[in-house]
Amino acid sequence: MNSATVFVVDDDAAVRKSLSLLVQSVQLPVETYETAQAFLDAYDPSRPGCLVLDLRMPGVSGLELQQRLASQNVHLPVIFISAHGDLPTAVAAMRAGALDFLEKPFRSQVLLDRIHQALERDARRREVDQRRAETAELLTTLTSLERAVLDLMAAGKPYKTIARELGISYKAVEGRRARIMKKMKVDNLSELLQRMLSYQLAEPAIV
Amino acid sequence: MTKRAKAELVSEADALRLRMEEEEPSRPKSLQSIDPAQLAVQPFLHSGADGLLIRLLDSLPALVSFVTSELRYAWINQHYESWFGLPRDRIIGESPQSILPPDAYERMLSFGRRALDGELVHYQNTLIRQDGSARHLDTTYVPHFDHNGSVIGFLVLAFDTTDHWEAQERLRESETRFRQLAENIGEVFWMSTGTGDKTLYVSPAFEKIWGRSAEELYRRPFLWLEAIIPEDRDRVQQHYHSKCWLQGGFHIEYRIARPDGAIRWIHDRGFPVRDGQGKVHRIVGFAQDVTELKQAADRERQLLADLAHMARLTTMGEMASGLAHELNQPLSAIMNYLDASVRLLQNQGKAPDNVLSAMGSAAAEAERAGKIIHRMKNFLRRTEPRQSAEDVNQLAQEALDLIAREIRLSSTRLRMELAEGLPRVMADRIQIEQVILNLARNALDAMQQTEPEKRILTVRTARDAAGAVTVSVSDTGVGLSADSTEQLFQAFYTTKPQGMGMGLAISRTIVQAHGGKLWAEPGNGRGATFTFTLPVATEDPRR
């Protein structure tokens, strides 16, 4: 598994190199790109990290890069840096989900703090994604009856009601429950419900 | 006439003829054949030096004849002959009745009778000649008495005054025309003596403009100078007394104070009129009330000054913004490098404290430099546009009025294609006019290499699909190369040797501050089109 990387995109070489050194000084991996296009060409969305992005660049601008990533469902956290600091663009960037907008020159500590926050956020999001993918995978191992029992359990129905609704015996419900827990690789009920809850929250509601 | 009298006349005439044949080899032909009727005049004609009087009368450019008491021509001079176009022998001895038109004869009879009664008669007469032309005659009848004191005829002396009379008539007409002109134009026509100490004429417009009566000016010739406001009076007086205008005339502008307190701007032109000796004997001139013109010019000047001021501010703001960007990049790098260095040294655990603290101070100073730039940028940042609901067609018209002269001088044709019924836009009038002005000036510059007859500047207003109002300025000039279209809008980008490269950058900044867009496209066939959009003004919230 890749370690989280700080991706820096800035057309100014001095800014790029100094940022690279700054990030390295806190023992974080860093990669720099001169243009947004070069980053888009090289970036593999499975790689964790965050993006430190200059706002105004020739060719594809920072704001455009942010939009393109979003449209490709890539949710890498973005910290904008700008030597211009024009307010309307900053507002647009924040609305589009940027973590922060720093006006050059900024205190290095502020940027490093934001980078740490961004990496944390990315890691958390990736973990949630990971868990959700796992859950989805495990759910495919259930039979349709097991899945029906699980859905009713996740909806908080008592076993008696589940048995009545599915037209099976109370004992059969209990037996299914044990198998479901084993298949879903959880040790207790609360763990199972937690996993289902986070899965359902991320998924569109099942109609 | 009695038999005896006639015999006397004949004998006298014979004697005369004999005398003249002896003494006057070149005597006038007219006396060679003498009619008895003529004899009545002989004593009169010969009362002076012999022959001299006849020669004198013959050479007079007047009609001279002697008419006897029997109303027969006894004698006529050469002018009489030629004036009527009849030879002398067709007239002498005849009655005027056969020579004059009936109405003239009637008048002759009535005035002639008075002459025969011994009265000196003078009258004016119009006579239609055989060729149909009407002639004016100033006629005098002088009664002629014999030794006994009885009238034997009268001398007719008539001057043809037609030409003089017509000249007088023409003069009267011309004066009437002049007065009609002088009294109906808005300008004041004036005339003074060569020394300027007396006003000879001033047209009625004077009373309207100066608010004073012409009578007052005739009474006090220097009233015109007194009416000038003190701030301008010395200048005018100096110019007037310098006499340097005596060569080409003067053109001077000054303000007058009317008795009602109103101030008017006057443009006064005067020139000297010289007499035959080259001496100035009249000064004539025109004075015009140019207050409205001045005010319009002032408004235009003010608008231009506003535009220039705004352009300067915007230029400085734009430059500050560009400069801030250029400086912030290296400052940012400096701070990053310093902080990174501090951390790297700390990581290795062997950095002397004083080095770390010096590096920290360097970073703080770099940060301070950044703040100074930030403050400068904010200080020079354009103020928020003062927006109000404006008619975009009017803005376009006003902006183009400002460069109407440049358009004309560059022999460019201007096409205004203004859409009707456009909604009002939210705009800072001055700023948007500046943008239109910038685009139009660029268009003119782009067409310098275009043949004059193909130079067309088109200004179009319309509404786009999204409902915004658009203004486009098109030229038939050098056009754009595709890759430079966006570069055009960058600060300090220019293709003009004298340009600073701020015009389009500023224009785009202005348009964007209005919530619109500005872009360039290649023109249709040749040239380029610059278009910008402006959002439509929303309904008045008070409604």
Side-chain angles (χ1 to χ4, degrees):
Chain A
M1 172 147 178
N2 282 316
S3 57
T5 307
V6 178
F7 302 97
V8 173
V9 185
D10 196 311
D11 62 320
D12 189 298
V15 172
R16 221 161 46 233
K17 284 186 194 162
S18 65
L19 279 177
S20 168
L21 196 69
L22 181 71
V23 175
Q24 284 171 45
S25 76
V26 292
Q27 282 87 37
L28 283 174
V30 60
E31 283 177 23
T32 60
Y33 298 90
E34 190 178 346
T35 63
Q37 194 57 52
F39 171 75
L40 278 171
D41 292 345
Y43 180 63
D44 167 6
S46 71
R47 297 183 62 192
C50 71
L51 195 53
V52 176
L53 193 50
D54 188 21
L55 198 59
R56 278 203 202 179
M57 288 180 291
V60 182
S61 77
L63 218 52
E64 280 171 310
L65 174 58
Q66 183 190 27
Q67 282 157 6
R68 282 201 205 178
L69 290 175
S71 70
Q72 291 167 22
N73 232 2
V74 177
H75 301 286
L76 205 60
V78 179
I79 301 156
F80 276 110
I81 52 176
S82 169
H84 264 281
D86 52 314
L87 206 64
T89 327
V91 169
M94 296 305 285
R95 281 215 182 116
L99 193 84
D100 206 350
F101 185 101
L102 302 180
E103 201 173 330
K104 290 179 188 171
F106 40 79
R107 283 174 175 274
S108 313
Q109 193 54 54
V110 176
L111 177 65
L112 291 174
D113 289 349
R114 290 292 175 276
I115 286 174
H116 285 296
Q117 280 172 16
L119 293 179
E120 240 168 73
R121 184 189 282 195
D122 187 54
R124 218 167 38 238
R125 195 188 50 75
R126 279 173 195 278
E127 201 184 299
V128 171
D129 281 357
Q130 179 70 28
R131 252 181 104 70
R132 198 189 303 128
E134 253 174 52
T135 310
E137 186 68 31
L138 294 174
L139 282 173
T140 60
T141 63
L142 301 185
T143 65
S144 56
L145 187 60
E146 285 163 356
R147 179 65 201 257
V149 173
L150 177 58
D151 285 344
L152 288 169
M153 278 166 68
K157 305 268 172 91
Y159 292 164
K160 251 196 259 179
T161 317
I162 296 173
R164 197 172 57 244
E165 279 191 20
L166 295 176
I168 54 174
S169 71
Y170 184 85
K171 259 205 154 40
V173 175
E174 282 197 315
R176 292 289 185 283
R177 191 199 67 172
R179 222 161 331 147
I180 289 167
M181 300 240 286
K182 195 174 166 205
K183 278 187 174 174
M184 296 301 289
K185 297 181 175 166
V186 292
D187 298 329
N188 51 52
L189 194 61
S190 82
E191 233 179 275
L192 177 69
L193 291 181
Q194 237 174 37
R195 187 181 268 269
M196 281 311 287
L197 198 65
S198 67
Y199 175 75
Q200 284 171 346
L201 276 179
E203 286 272 301
I206 300 155
V207 187
Chain B
M1 201 182 281
T2 62
K3 222 174 185 172
R4 200 183 67 83
K6 197 156 182 171
E8 265 176 31
L9 269 177
V10 171
S11 70
E12 255 195 73
D14 283 340
L16 180 68
R17 191 188 301 135
L18 283 172
R19 213 156 63 217
M20 289 179 87
E21 275 169 357
E22 284 159 12
E23 298 166 12
E24 286 278 332
S26 62
R27 67 186 192 273
K29 236 182 176 173
S30 57
L31 283 178
Q32 276 181 349
S33 60
I34 199 148
D35 188 275
Q38 277 182 267
L39 294 176
V41 77
Q42 298 307 335
F44 164 71
L45 287 175
H46 293 281
S47 57
D50 284 353
L52 183 66
L53 188 60
I54 290 176
R55 281 210 301 275
L56 184 71
L57 292 177
D58 259 344
S59 64
L60 265 186
L63 304 174
V64 185
S65 62
F66 190 83
V67 177
T68 62
S69 50
E70 284 88 16
L71 291 178
R72 302 249 160 211
Y73 285 107
W75 187 82
I76 62 167
N77 73 345
Q78 270 180 3
H79 194 70
Y80 209 98
E81 207 176 356
S82 58
W83 198 86
F84 279 98
L86 291 170
R88 190 165 287 195
D89 51 16
R90 277 275 290 105
I91 298 178
I92 291 179
E94 293 297 325
S95 158
Q97 193 173 10
S98 63
I99 306 296
L100 300 176
D103 60 328
Y105 178 65
E106 283 305 311
R107 281 192 292 274
M108 183 181 199
L109 274 186
S110 64
F111 287 110
R113 257 182 221 117
R114 281 159 58 186
L116 290 176
D117 283 345
E119 188 185 342
L120 182 77
V121 184
H122 183 89
Y123 73 103
Q124 288 184 341
N125 191 16
T126 302
L127 201 144
I128 312 291
R129 275 199 298 200
Q130 275 179 323
D131 63 5
S133 62
R135 308 298 294 179
H136 293 275
L137 293 173
D138 248 359
T139 308
T140 307
Y141 291 166
V142 185
H144 190 57
F145 301 89
D146 65 7
H147 309 297
N148 307 320
S150 52
V151 179
I152 57 164
F154 55 88
L155 183 77
V156 178
L157 187 64
F159 290 97
D160 184 337
T161 58
T162 312
D163 293 342
H164 177 68
W165 191 84
E166 278 176 1
Q168 287 263 322
E169 196 58 25
R170 276 197 300 275
L171 192 66
R172 231 185 335 269
E173 271 174 34
S174 128
E175 196 185 290
T176 307
R177 274 200 301 274
F178 162 74
R179 271 189 191 277
Q180 279 172 348
L181 181 74
E183 291 173 10
N184 287 299
I185 56 171
E187 286 189 316
V188 177
F189 175 73
W190 55 263
M191 192 194 315
S192 73
T193 54
T195 47
D197 56 7
K198 189 163 159 40
T199 299
L200 298 170
Y201 177 78
V202 64
S203 64
F206 171 80
E207 306 196 342
K208 218 158 71 195
I209 296 172
W210 262 258
R212 293 166 196 270
S213 74
E215 285 308 313
E216 207 181 336
L217 182 65
Y218 291 133
R219 246 190 353 261
R220 294 162 53 199
F222 285 99
L223 178 69
W224 70 273
L225 203 56
E226 291 161 32
I228 297 173
I229 63 165
E231 293 95 309
D232 290 357
R233 197 180 299 142
D234 283 354
R235 176 172 55 86
V236 174
Q237 206 161 5
Q238 269 171 24
H239 184 72
Y240 184 76
H241 288 306
S242 72
K243 308 259 179 206
C244 61
W245 51 271
L246 282 175
Q247 279 315 311
F250 64 81
H251 266 247
I252 195 158
E253 275 188 354
Y254 51 79
R255 284 162 291 178
I256 56 160
R258 293 159 50 106
D260 62 9
I263 303 285
R264 307 297 296 178
W265 270 100
I266 303 297
H267 181 102
D268 205 349
R269 282 163 297 163
F271 43 93
V273 177
R274 290 169 196 279
D275 61 15
Q277 280 81 52
K279 197 167 159 280
V280 176
H281 79 128
R282 293 278 187 275
I283 307 167
V284 296
F286 281 98
Q288 192 185 358
D289 182 347
V290 292
T291 312
E292 270 81 27
L293 287 173
K294 275 266 183 203
Q295 283 166 349
D298 280 351
R299 272 197 299 278
E300 187 161 307
R301 221 176 356 260
Q302 185 57 45
L303 186 56
L304 279 172
D306 285 353
L307 279 172
H309 177 68
M310 201 279 302
R312 265 197 308 280
L313 278 185
T314 320
T315 307
M316 279 168 72
E318 201 70 17
M319 285 172 75
S321 166
L323 193 67
H325 181 255
E326 296 306 317
L327 289 174
N328 280 337
Q329 297 283 38
L331 279 174
S332 179
I334 290 169
M335 286 168 69
N336 291 337
Y337 276 128
L338 285 167
D339 276 5
S341 305
V342 168
R343 276 167 219 283
L344 291 169
L345 287 170
Q346 281 170 337
N347 291 349
Q348 288 170 14
K350 50 184 179 192
D353 282 349
N354 54 355
V355 172
L356 286 179
S357 112
M359 291 175 82
S361 301
E365 288 305 302
E367 193 185 351
R368 192 161 72 94
K371 282 187 179 146
I372 292 169
I373 291 167
H374 192 81
R375 273 205 303 279
M376 176 194 75
K377 198 173 81 173
N378 280 350
F379 178 71
L380 288 175
R381 179 164 294 181
R382 296 172 318 283
T383 48
E384 282 298 302
R386 283 167 299 184
Q387 296 192 349
S388 49
E390 300 283 354
D391 172 5
V392 88
N393 287 350
Q394 194 192 334
L395 299 187
Q397 196 60 63
E398 282 184 13
L400 286 156
D401 285 348
L402 291 176
I403 53 162
R405 203 179 117 80
E406 289 165 56
I407 294 172
R408 216 172 38 247
L409 288 179
S410 61
S411 0
T412 302
R413 263 180 300 152
L414 173 64
R415 271 197 208 141
M416 298 288 277
E417 298 177 6
L418 306 180
E420 281 178 23
L422 287 176
R424 288 179 173 263
V425 294
M426 282 313 286
D428 181 316
R429 194 171 64 90
I430 301 273
Q431 291 195 353
I432 293 303
E433 285 182 3
Q434 173 76 54
V435 171
I436 299 172
L437 205 61
N438 281 350
L439 297 180
R441 280 223 172 91
N442 282 350
L444 292 184
D445 288 341
M447 290 190 284
Q448 277 176 0
Q449 307 301 320
T450 306
E451 306 91 299
E453 63 275 14
K454 288 183 182 159
R455 290 180 190 159
I456 304 167
L457 171 66
T458 310
V459 176
R460 194 177 291 118
T461 58
R463 208 161 178 199
D464 70 4
V469 171
T470 65
V471 180
S472 14
V473 178
S474 308
D475 62 63
T476 53
V478 290
L480 312 161
S481 59
D483 53 291
S484 72
T485 318
E486 269 313 293
Q487 237 184 330
L488 289 175
F489 296 99
Q490 282 170 16
F492 307 117
Y493 177 87
T494 184
T495 55
K496 301 175 204 165
Q498 306 301 321
M500 209 171 126
M502 294 307 293
L504 281 175
I506 289 170
S507 298
R508 179 173 264 189
T509 308
I510 290 174
V511 170
Q512 283 174 347
H514 279 79
K517 283 183 299 185
L518 166 63
W519 68 93
E521 289 162 310
N524 200 358
R526 69 188 305 172
T529 297
F530 286 80
T531 306
F532 66 89
T533 61
L534 288 173
V536 169
T538 44
E539 290 294 301
D540 189 339
R542 285 165 297 182
R543 268 190 287 173

